[in-house]
Amino acid sequence: MVSEVPAGLPGRVRVVGTGLVGTSVGLALTRLGVEVSLHDPSPSAMALARDLGAGRLATPWDAPPDLVVVAAPPDVVADVIRRELAAHPGAVVTDVASVKSVVLRDLAASGADLRRYVGGHPLAGRERSGPVAARDDLFDGRPWVLTPAQRTDPEALNLVRSVATALGATVSTMGAAEHDEAVAVVSHVPQVAASLVAARLRDVPERAVALAGQGLRDVTRIAASDPGLWTQILAGNAPAVSRTLHALRADLEEVLRAVDALAADDHAGGAPGARAAVAGLVAGGNEGQARIPGKHGTAPTAYALVRVLVPDRPGELARLLQDVGRAGVNLEDLRLEHSQGRPRAVAEIAVVPAAAATLLAALTEHGWTVHG
Amino acid sequence: MVSEVPAGLPGRVRVVGTGLVGTSVGLALTRLGVEVSLHDPSPSAMALARDLGAGRLATPWDAPPDLVVVAAPPDVVADVIRRELAAHPGAVVTDVASVKSVVLRDLAASGADLRRYVGGHPLAGRERSGPVAARDDLFDGRPWVLTPAQRTDPEALNLVRSVATALGATVSTMGAAEHDEAVAVVSHVPQVAASLVAARLRDVPERAVALAGQGLRDVTRIAASDPGLWTQILAGNAPAVSRTLHALRADLEEVLRAVDALAADDHAGGAPGARAAVAGLVAGGNEGQARIPGKHGTAPTAYALVRVLVPDRPGELARLLQDVGRAGVNLEDLRLEHSQGRPRAVAEIAVVPAAAATLLAALTEHGWTVHG
């Protein structure tokens, strides 16, 4: 198998931790012809990963690996890395933990050989976890941040970069601290906010929850995530999460003061500045939201939306998208909006603005009820 | 036209305010054969609504309407209702404002004839606004809350209920205060939270925003909403929004204390209770999120997810969904997950669990790369 491995990739990789990410790494590397050995403290998780095709089980008689990928929970990851560095003195060791500073600090404190360690974080989590949720394309087009330490050997960095690139990820390098600040804002604090909003739904009557719309569904989707994992992530990145949460809290205090003033004002026309404060928050949200990159990592594009009524029967959506394809129009994005209590959905099709008129005409001709 | 109007519906309806909701009401009622006259302080908005087919322009010589639908901004809605009640003494008047207590209180204070007023709120907002975004199916399957006052005439309530039902909405009645508490939790505070999270993105470097994933996109989607409208909504529902925001702030304070303790702890193993507090928040979010109703207003169902790689070319998604239809399997939901920097998407198809194996086999046979 080793002869088939693409240039620049390691011939033998040891994966420690066969959850969602570790198993996905194993699946993807095996597909590329790399020899993968698997290890996990849970024999059943390890066997399942093997049965899924992520590699073979590690044994004490294995030939030394070129690379060790540590995909252990954040709480124990530094310990596992230290052990793997010691056990495999010829190997580069990387990890996939979503927090980086604390791991690096613990490793440095333990006197580990940092020349052979390359911190890494593929941003490829899901609400689901475990080897069953693993996919060999999990990293396809996802960001994968590498956080080399000052002492990290450039060759070690190159090896890990080759692997992440071969797995389809978009690789960038930054310092551990910069990484942690970034994910606090784009991932960890959004998780906290989603949980805070969802937690409010526990105490309201059924009749109130029945008024939920797509907005609430979107805001709270990630609130379904695993409490155990997220406690480790938030604890591991506590300093950066704290800074961002304090900033968010300051904004919240301002809105709360404004809303309280408006509530107390009782239409007396007073509460000066309160409305401006509320409008300022929503406008600030507009600005921040507009910075989020769109599809394919490019800047967000203003797509034109074409809305089509789709009967909720097998094959109808297929027939629609076939007609879209026949019109020669590329669908940039698709959102299905289901209606409550009615067997009909609205498909919102995003296309480049220049294609919208063509699409509208073509779909109308095919008998679809279309709204531009 | 009047003879074609379905039983129970008014023959003549006057729509005041031709934004998204008013124009949509006009479009839907016109389709049902109801005679609709349109009025708006903006002549261009009014003309656009007419050209879209929402009705004809109102004139001083119009025959008296049976029903007036006031679709004015929250700030002025009570005044407009009062004026319409006085100008059309034989008509029932309803509104569509997303806040209800403040409107009712202002009307009562003005001595308006509350017997003919029926408060209403179709939960059918979009991030887009204005007559151009209007759709005759905007209310299809959406909740429409009616908030009759004690003095509201039962006949008046029935008339408005008939209209909302004919427009495809799922109608419920509740008190104005109960309505306002409910929308504070399921709509207004989620909007504030989305804006708070999105506002944090203003100050971070481009490299950090580039790490954004689907989770952040979902949490912040509604942060793109109109600041002017939302200021009126939040101001109009300030007491209920304040209560829910204070409860959310209390949860946030608890998490913040925990995160600060963890940040200060520096791995000394202390910070007792801090991890439990963080886990408690995420678990509470799990609970609340699980209460949100799924498609068709039913309780959330555990669908099985089938993941298929879709090349990003015209017609590919159509071909896939054609194959789904041919397998005789009904698609319950569809999410397209785009990859950054790669011309390939993952289509996540939700089906009832019993259908997943059939679908997997059928798609594999048709040559798709499928993950169960």
Side-chain angles (χ1 to χ4, degrees):
Chain A
M1 293 250 283
V2 176
S3 59
E4 300 168 15
V5 174
L9 286 189
R12 274 190 303 273
V13 173
R14 173 177 158 88
V15 172
V16 181
T18 56
L20 168 69
V21 175
T23 304
S24 295
V25 167
L27 288 169
L29 285 177
T30 299
R31 194 188 54 185
L32 290 170
V34 174
E35 204 184 315
V36 176
S37 66
L38 305 167
H39 181 73
D40 195 283
S42 155
S44 67
M46 185 160 61
L48 182 51
R50 176 199 57 196
D51 293 349
L52 291 169
R56 55 172 187 71
L57 300 189
T59 73
W61 310 277
D62 284 350
D66 304 305
L67 174 69
V68 179
V69 178
V70 175
D75 261 5
V76 299
V77 68
D79 264 0
V80 177
I81 294 167
R82 188 183 47 72
R83 236 166 32 221
E84 295 292 324
L85 281 168
H88 307 285
V92 170
V93 177
T94 189
D95 71 323
V96 299
S98 40
V99 294
K100 300 265 67 88
S101 302
V102 67
V103 174
L104 190 59
R105 193 195 56 189
D106 288 0
L107 282 176
S110 76
D113 181 3
L114 289 181
R115 289 170 304 176
R116 295 185 288 119
Y117 167 66
V118 182
H121 178 207
L123 285 99
R126 308 190 64 81
E127 304 99 278
R128 299 175 60 197
S129 58
V132 173
R135 299 153 42 174
D136 67 0
D137 66 335
L138 187 71
F139 311 103
D140 217 1
R142 301 297 188 114
W144 191 317
V145 182
L146 299 180
T147 56
Q150 284 196 321
R151 275 185 278 164
T152 300
D153 185 54
E155 291 298 308
L157 176 61
N158 283 340
L159 183 74
V160 178
R161 186 188 278 121
S162 301
V163 167
T165 305
L167 265 45
T170 304
V171 180
S172 61
T173 57
M174 53 180 82
E178 184 186 355
H179 165 274
D180 285 0
E181 293 292 339
V183 292
V185 177
V186 304
S187 170
H188 302 172
V189 163
Q191 174 67 45
V192 171
S195 297
L196 286 167
V197 170
R200 288 296 98 223
L201 298 171
R202 281 177 304 179
D203 311 325
V204 301
E206 206 60 42
R207 287 154 58 84
V209 186
L211 302 184
Q214 194 56 42
L216 181 69
R217 286 194 188 88
D218 285 349
V219 171
T220 58
R221 185 179 60 82
I222 57 172
S225 301
D226 179 37
L229 176 65
W230 273 97
T231 302
Q232 295 188 29
I233 293 174
L234 295 171
N237 198 20
V241 170
S242 167
R243 276 187 287 278
T244 304
L245 266 188
H246 274 280
L248 184 146
R249 202 246 316 244
D251 285 353
L252 173 59
E253 292 294 343
E254 200 179 329
V255 176
L256 208 43
R257 264 195 307 275
V259 170
D260 283 347
L262 289 163
D265 181 44
D266 202 34
H267 255 220
R275 282 168 180 259
V278 174
L281 169 74
V282 183
N286 286 176
E287 263 180 69
Q289 200 266 352
R291 292 195 68 198
I292 300 175
K295 183 184 170 187
H296 296 186
T298 56
T301 312
Y303 292 124
L305 284 184
V306 175
R307 293 186 193 82
V308 190
L309 289 186
V310 184
D312 199 0
R313 286 193 301 267
E316 285 297 312
L317 192 60
R319 196 164 64 78
L320 167 63
L321 296 183
Q322 200 174 21
D323 290 343
V324 173
R326 277 188 190 137
V329 169
N330 196 17
L331 179 154
E332 299 293 337
D333 207 348
L334 172 73
R335 177 185 285 271
L336 261 192
E337 203 163 305
H338 291 294
S339 43
Q340 292 199 325
R342 286 256 154 171
R344 211 157 66 153
V346 178
E348 289 202 325
I349 301 176
V351 296
V352 292
T358 310
L359 182 60
L360 221 93
L363 292 182
T364 307
E365 198 184 318
H366 282 93
W368 294 99
T369 307
V370 187
H371 300 264
Chain B
M1 295 250 280
V2 176
S3 59
E4 301 168 16
V5 174
L9 286 189
R12 275 191 301 274
V13 173
R14 173 177 158 87
V15 172
V16 181
T18 56
L20 168 68
V21 175
T23 304
S24 296
V25 167
L27 288 169
L29 285 177
T30 299
R31 193 187 54 183
L32 290 170
V34 174
E35 205 184 313
V36 176
S37 65
L38 305 168
H39 181 72
D40 194 282
S42 154
S44 68
M46 184 159 62
L48 181 51
R50 177 199 56 197
D51 293 347
L52 291 169
R56 54 172 189 70
L57 299 190
T59 72
W61 309 278
D62 285 350
D66 303 306
L67 174 70
V68 179
V69 179
V70 175
D75 261 5
V76 300
V77 68
D79 264 0
V80 178
I81 294 167
R82 188 183 46 72
R83 236 166 32 222
E84 295 292 326
L85 281 168
H88 307 286
V92 170
V93 177
T94 188
D95 71 321
V96 299
S98 39
V99 294
K100 300 266 66 89
S101 301
V102 66
V103 174
L104 190 59
R105 192 194 57 191
D106 288 359
L107 282 176
S110 75
D113 181 2
L114 288 182
R115 289 170 305 177
R116 294 186 287 118
Y117 168 65
V118 183
H121 177 207
L123 285 99
R126 308 190 63 80
E127 304 98 278
R128 299 175 59 198
S129 58
V132 173
R135 299 153 41 173
D136 67 0
D137 66 334
L138 187 71
F139 311 104
D140 217 0
R142 301 296 188 115
W144 192 318
V145 182
L146 300 180
T147 57
Q150 283 196 320
R151 276 186 277 163
T152 301
D153 185 52
E155 291 298 307
L157 175 62
N158 283 340
L159 183 74
V160 179
R161 186 189 279 121
S162 300
V163 168
T165 304
L167 266 46
T170 305
V171 180
S172 61
T173 58
M174 52 179 83
E178 184 187 354
H179 166 275
D180 285 0
E181 293 291 339
V183 292
V185 178
V186 304
S187 169
H188 302 174
V189 163
Q191 174 67 46
V192 171
S195 297
L196 286 168
V197 170
R200 289 295 98 223
L201 299 171
R202 281 176 304 178
D203 311 324
V204 301
E206 205 61 40
R207 287 155 58 83
V209 186
L211 302 184
Q214 194 55 43
L216 181 68
R217 286 195 187 87
D218 285 349
V219 172
T220 59
R221 185 179 60 82
I222 57 173
S225 300
D226 179 37
L229 176 63
W230 273 96
T231 302
Q232 294 188 29
I233 293 174
L234 295 171
N237 199 20
V241 170
S242 166
R243 276 187 288 277
T244 303
L245 266 189
H246 274 280
L248 184 145
R249 202 246 316 243
D251 285 353
L252 173 59
E253 292 293 344
E254 199 180 328
V255 176
L256 208 43
R257 264 195 306 275
V259 170
D260 283 346
L262 289 163
D265 181 45
D266 202 33
H267 254 221
R275 282 167 179 260
V278 173
L281 170 74
V282 182
N286 286 176
E287 262 180 69
Q289 201 267 352
R291 292 194 69 198
I292 300 176
K295 182 184 170 188
H296 296 184
T298 56
T301 311
Y303 291 124
L305 285 184
V306 175
R307 294 186 192 82
V308 191
L309 289 187
V310 184
D312 201 0
R313 287 193 301 267
E316 285 298 311
L317 192 59
R319 196 165 64 78
L320 167 62
L321 296 184
Q322 200 174 21
D323 290 343
V324 173
R326 277 188 190 139
V329 169
N330 197 16
L331 178 153
E332 299 293 336
D333 208 348
L334 173 72
R335 175 186 287 269
L336 261 192
E337 204 163 304
H338 291 293
S339 43
Q340 291 199 327
R342 285 257 154 169
R344 208 156 67 149
V346 178
E348 288 202 326
I349 301 175
V351 296
V352 292
T358 310
L359 181 60
L360 221 93
L363 292 182
T364 307
E365 198 184 318
H366 282 94
W368 295 98
T369 307
V370 188
H371 299 265

